[in-house]
């Protein structure tokens, strides 16, 4: 939740070579079960490190339009890279940071 004028700053895995998100799991409202559309993928979870967190989707560049549709007046993507500060990334040399203003 953000108050008007609040700013969102976030990082997340990003399918930077795609315009639309990769949907891996959907919640089936009629059965209450999860529909796995691809092989299950888990990311690190500091609360449950042994189990990890199930990945439902990997955002792509359409995340900026989705943020604007959700009421953010501005949504931007920044590429941050710094050998000096150890911001290196893996697939992309650096980290993509989402910034949006409510």
């Amino acid at each position: 939740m953000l108050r008007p004028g609040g700013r969102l700053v976030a990082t997340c895995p990003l399918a930077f070579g795609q315009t639309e998100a990769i949907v891996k799991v959907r919640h089936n409202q009629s059965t209450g079960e999860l529909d796995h559309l691809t092989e299950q993928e888990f990311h690190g979870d500091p609360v449950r490190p042994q189990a990890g967190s199930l990945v439902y989707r990997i955002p792509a560049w359409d995340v900026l339009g989705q943020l604007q549709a959700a009421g953010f007046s501005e949504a931007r993507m920044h590429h941050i890279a710094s050998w000096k500060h150890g911001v290196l990334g893996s697939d992309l040399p650096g980290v993509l940071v989402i910034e949006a203003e409510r």
Side-chain angles (χ1 to χ4, degrees):
M1 257 173 115
L2 290 175
R3 64 185 168 109
R7 185 171 302 270
L8 166 75
V9 177
T11 63
C12 63
L14 186 81
F16 57 86
Q18 297 188 206
T19 56
E20 295 183 8
I22 299 169
V23 179
K24 299 177 92 38
V25 180
R26 285 195 179 123
H27 182 262
N28 187 319
Q29 293 185 3
S30 60
T31 66
E33 300 291 320
L34 297 178
D35 292 333
H36 296 274
L37 308 175
T38 67
E39 184 176 331
Q40 291 183 10
E41 182 177 341
F42 294 86
H43 286 183
D45 183 340
V47 176
R48 298 175 308 138
Q50 297 83 6
S53 295
L54 179 64
V55 176
Y56 281 70
R57 65 188 294 130
I58 300 174
W61 292 103
D62 60 347
V63 71
L64 298 175
Q66 292 168 355
L67 287 166
Q68 290 174 332
F72 286 90
S73 60
E74 300 213 15
R76 296 174 288 282
M77 188 76 68
H78 301 281
H79 178 249
I80 309 294
S82 171
W83 287 92
K84 179 180 176 182
H85 294 102
V87 181
L88 306 175
S90 56
D91 297 334
L92 186 69
V95 177
L96 293 171
V97 179
I98 299 168
E99 178 189 11
E101 187 174 321
R102 190 63 148 159

